[in-house]
Amino acid sequence: MSVLTLAWRYLAYYRTRTLLLVVALALTCVLPLSAHMLIRVFSERLLARATATPLIVGPRGDRVNLVLKTLYFRSGDGGGVSEADVKSLQDSGLALAIPMHLRYTAQGHPLVGTSLDYFDLRGLHTREGTLPRRLGDAVLGLHVAELLHLGPGDSLLTDQQSLYDISSTYPLKLHVTGVLAHTGTADDEAVFVDVKTAWIVDGVSHGHTDVTAANADSSVILERTDHEVKTNAAIVEYNEVTDANIASFHTHGEDKDLPISAVIVVPHDAKSATLLKARYGLSKTRQMLEPVAVVRELMDLVFRVQRFFDANFALVATAAALFLGLILVLSRQLRRRELETMWRIGCRPGMTAQLQATELTIVVVLSLLLAGGVALAALQLAPQLVRLI
Amino acid sequence: MITLRDVAFHYPGGPFRLQVPALDVASGEKVALIGPSGSGKTSLLSIVCGLLRPDRGSVQIDGEELATLSEARRRAFRIRRIGFVFQEFELLEYLTVRENILLPYRLTDALTRTAQTDATLAELARTTGIHDKLKRYPRTLSQGEKQRVAICRALMTGPAVLAADEPTGNLDPATARDVLSLLMRQTEAHGATLIVVTHNHALLESFDRVIEVASWSQETAA
């Protein structure tokens, strides 16, 4: 029986105290280990998504908020920029402009009003069904579809923004035309519609009964001229786009009145990017951001916080090492007679110290294995955690 | 044959002094060391067994001089030629009875385990009545059974000297008699010399010789 076996037999016999020691040590290691791994995954994913998004245009203000909102579909205040910005960028001939309308939610999930270019940019394709083809169509991120048990042919309602405001727009019934394939990104968590559908939800576009027809309900008409018809609030607005009413949906106002949360800009080349950045650098109401740069700034902050935790961990590790030392000394006292018996019988010099060192090594190795296992489990859950962030 | 000549010993910094002018113990002899607490019984036993090195004098077992042997050679001598039985049995709780008996073979490379080792173990276990307890752990044994296991462990290597320090100190009188009787029988069977430190005067008649250690020890002024 080698020293290793003797040490193992000792630890196995006193399994409860061994387990306690292993768990205590593992817990000391697991937090910083998990934090490191999670931050690494978080950083990689954040940077990957930021890198795949060349430029973002939005209102001047919080840079980090604009980037995170656009990348991860944070719902919030609508506007900021408008369809006019999208048109202006498209007309510049320097870039592809993808509108991002991020104000609303559908059954608790972000409602993203965008164009088909977004799906090309992210390389998104449907697992079943098709991408939105007309007003009122929606394609679901995989996780949303799984959570709501929805698929092509089903429908879902957008969320009412204010329950007590009877003048606000009613929820719009969306027709699910498809479900996106798994991406492991925020795209799994969103409901995608055409930006024009988002404007219906916003109330800037709408469809209603034809009041220009000669047989229109006269009780809703306030005034009729050659150029316009004024109606009262009793006019029925459609809250679902159907084959019968789709032609009635229209928008009042100009492009500058059509709100957009942000615009993803894909410059045709580096020179175009430089020109656009210069152009927006002069704007007092708009800003053009490089998501990678903003995310790197954010990660620098995270890493600074991490370094603080690392320093904390060093102190905790030192305390743990001191406790281990104390346990070793107390254990040696507790086992004094056992070790003395070994010496009397004739064990080789240093064997008792070697025995205890081996026991300690086994405990530390088991703790590290346990900590590694827990950290790996955390790593497996990292995508979900990152998604929550 | 154990021979001590002009042996002197003291613990560093302590007032205790042990001086043994001459002591001869014949092979196979069964000797009891008696005396009041602190008289040096355990110290003398430790010197005889090579656990303590005397300040001066000669300690020989079967012609081998222990007093001048290096630590390594004394250790090797001890593991092959001396068997120990302790008052508290000193069995390792986390090893089975069988593993405890074989412990000397685990602790050193000086002993090699062979088929004969297992045969010896089986025979010892049978003659000491613990053959059916070899797979059990010490905590499941009675005090008397634990001491039987300790005796088996001491005899496993076929020692020339069996040294027992208060082997019956923790046992009730009946068990003490049984254990001492077993110790005597086993020592005779193995042709070993038995040296026992004891306080139990009721058992002294079983020994060939009783040595009063107090006459060899003294306490000096610091």
Side-chain angles (χ1 to χ4, degrees):
Chain A
M1 191 183 292
S2 65
V3 169
L4 182 66
T5 318
L6 263 182
W8 177 251
R9 292 298 304 276
Y10 178 83
L11 295 173
Y13 185 79
Y14 298 107
R15 56 180 73 91
T16 307
R17 66 174 82 154
T18 302
L19 191 67
L20 279 174
L21 198 56
V22 166
V23 170
L25 269 180
L27 282 177
T28 311
C29 302
V30 80
L31 194 63
L33 207 59
S34 303
H36 267 272
M37 289 170 112
L38 279 176
I39 287 174
R40 189 166 56 80
V41 172
F42 176 66
S43 163
E44 281 172 4
R45 287 179 177 246
L46 207 59
L47 278 171
R49 196 161 173 84
T51 307
T53 313
L55 295 167
I56 290 174
V57 168
R60 278 216 176 268
D62 189 336
R63 303 163 72 237
V64 174
N65 184 44
L66 176 62
V67 168
L68 291 185
K69 188 169 98 171
T70 310
L71 296 183
Y72 293 95
F73 315 137
R74 296 276 186 221
S75 302
D77 294 337
V81 291
S82 70
E83 177 65 3
D85 293 274
V86 179
K87 289 266 174 67
S88 160
L89 282 160
Q90 294 280 32
D91 294 345
S92 72
L94 297 173
L96 171 69
I98 303 172
M100 299 296 286
H101 187 289
L102 306 164
R103 189 174 181 186
Y104 297 104
T105 55
Q107 292 188 224
H109 301 278
L111 183 74
V112 181
T114 185
S115 66
L116 291 175
D117 292 326
Y118 180 81
F119 300 98
D120 291 336
L121 175 75
R122 295 279 186 239
L124 301 176
H125 58 273
T126 53
R127 193 178 74 165
E128 50 181 324
T130 63
L131 294 176
R133 287 177 297 195
R134 66 175 199 182
L135 277 180
D137 282 357
V139 64
L140 308 181
L142 182 62
H143 195 227
V144 176
E146 285 172 349
L147 278 178
L148 301 179
H149 305 292
L150 294 176
D154 295 327
S155 58
L156 78 163
L157 289 174
T158 60
D159 295 328
Q160 179 80 36
Q161 293 306 296
S162 172
L163 283 174
Y164 306 107
D165 181 3
I166 57 171
S167 68
S168 71
T169 51
Y170 291 102
L172 182 68
K173 189 174 181 182
L174 301 171
H175 302 129
V176 178
T177 58
V179 175
L180 295 176
H182 177 256
T183 63
T185 68
D187 296 322
D188 289 343
E189 312 297 323
V191 176
F192 295 91
V193 295
D194 186 85
V195 68
K196 293 185 182 71
T197 304
W199 287 329
I200 298 173
V201 181
D202 222 344
V204 293
S205 294
H206 60 183
H208 49 75
T209 49
D210 185 4
V211 290
T212 59
N215 58 350
D217 183 0
S218 58
S219 66
V220 299
I221 297 171
L222 296 175
E223 185 184 339
R224 186 191 295 270
T225 66
D226 291 342
H227 307 292
E228 61 179 3
V229 179
K230 287 183 181 170
T231 67
N232 62 26
I235 189 171
V236 176
E237 289 195 11
Y238 302 124
N239 63 354
E240 180 181 4
V241 180
T242 63
D243 290 337
N245 69 20
I246 189 167
S248 75
F249 279 86
H250 56 277
T251 302
H252 296 282
E254 301 169 18
D255 286 345
K256 67 177 174 53
D257 301 318
L258 300 175
I260 298 284
S261 305
V263 186
I264 293 178
V265 181
V266 187
H268 297 317
D269 50 38
K271 183 182 173 185
S272 303
T274 308
L275 287 171
L276 286 170
K277 278 189 273 186
R279 219 175 268 182
Y280 276 89
L282 299 172
S283 172
K284 287 181 179 166
T285 57
R286 304 282 189 268
Q287 60 179 338
M288 179 172 269
L289 301 174
E290 264 185 280
V292 175
V294 175
V295 166
R296 286 214 171 101
E297 282 174 33
L298 179 68
M299 291 316 298
D300 279 348
L301 180 69
V302 172
F303 288 134
R304 272 206 294 276
V305 174
Q306 189 190 7
R307 278 195 288 276
F308 169 75
F309 279 109
D310 284 348
N312 262 356
F313 168 64
L315 287 176
V316 172
T318 308
L322 289 173
F323 272 120
L324 259 189
L326 179 66
I327 288 168
L328 205 63
V329 169
L330 291 177
S331 162
R332 204 164 173 85
Q333 280 180 7
L334 203 66
R335 300 170 66 188
R336 186 180 53 80
R337 281 178 35 190
E338 173 198 329
L339 302 177
E340 196 174 295
T341 300
M342 288 185 183
W343 173 75
R344 281 182 178 178
I345 290 173
C347 74
R348 63 176 183 273
M351 184 179 176
T352 56
Q354 194 185 348
L355 182 65
Q356 285 206 297
T358 308
E359 288 165 7
L360 186 66
T361 305
I362 292 174
V363 166
V364 170
V365 167
L366 287 177
S367 303
L368 289 176
L369 285 176
L370 181 62
V374 174
L376 276 177
L379 196 61
Q380 295 298 312
L381 291 173
Q384 282 91 328
L385 292 172
V386 171
R387 214 158 49 188
L388 287 176
I389 296 166
Chain B
M1 173 81 173
I2 301 171
T3 308
L4 274 71
R5 290 288 179 272
D6 194 24
V7 166
F9 173 80
H10 80 285
Y11 290 102
F16 173 79
R17 295 283 185 279
L18 182 69
Q19 291 198 320
V20 184
L23 171 63
D24 294 305
V25 180
S27 291
E29 195 176 2
K30 294 182 275 291
V31 175
L33 302 178
I34 62 165
S37 294
S39 60
K41 305 184 294 293
T42 299
S43 300
L44 179 58
L45 187 72
S46 299
I47 289 167
V48 169
C49 298
L51 291 170
L52 292 177
R53 193 192 290 270
D55 301 335
R56 62 179 164 79
S58 163
V59 179
Q60 290 187 5
I61 296 179
D62 292 340
E64 185 97 41
E65 177 59 63
L66 294 189
T68 56
L69 279 183
S70 68
E71 177 58 38
R73 292 190 63 189
R74 265 196 304 148
R75 192 176 60 249
F77 182 85
R78 206 161 61 227
I79 204 157
R80 278 186 278 106
R81 307 290 286 155
I82 315 275
F84 290 96
V85 178
F86 307 100
Q87 180 178 354
E88 300 284 349
F89 326 125
E90 309 301 353
L91 302 177
L92 273 57
E93 290 291 320
Y94 52 92
L95 298 181
T96 61
V97 165
R98 180 188 177 82
E99 289 164 343
N100 263 291
I101 295 172
L102 289 170
L103 186 64
Y105 290 85
R106 327 288 196 199
L107 297 179
T108 176
D109 300 330
L111 297 172
T112 309
R113 195 172 153 190
T114 61
Q116 181 56 40
T117 313
D118 291 339
T120 304
L121 187 150
E123 176 61 15
L124 273 170
R126 191 185 59 76
T127 53
T128 54
I130 55 164
H131 56 284
D132 56 343
K133 297 175 177 66
L134 291 176
K135 290 182 179 173
R136 287 167 60 175
Y137 283 89
R139 68 181 150 81
T140 66
L141 302 179
S142 69
Q143 300 291 82
E145 287 168 340
K146 283 182 185 174
Q147 198 58 299
R148 285 163 193 267
V149 175
I151 291 169
C152 284
R153 181 179 66 188
L155 290 168
M156 262 313 290
T157 56
V161 177
L162 196 61
D165 193 351
E166 298 278 6
T168 58
N170 272 352
L171 305 176
D172 62 77
T175 311
R177 267 193 303 279
D178 282 351
V179 165
L180 188 67
S181 165
L182 176 70
L183 202 54
M184 296 277 186
R185 282 200 311 275
Q186 290 298 323
T187 309
E188 275 173 20
H190 287 80
T193 303
L194 177 66
I195 304 178
V196 175
V197 167
T198 184
H199 275 113
N200 193 340
H201 287 227
L203 302 174
L204 293 181
E205 61 190 23
S206 313
F207 290 91
D208 297 331
R209 185 153 48 122
V210 175
I211 297 171
E212 172 61 62
V213 181
S215 60
W216 288 334
S217 64
Q218 58 179 319
E219 290 210 359
T220 59

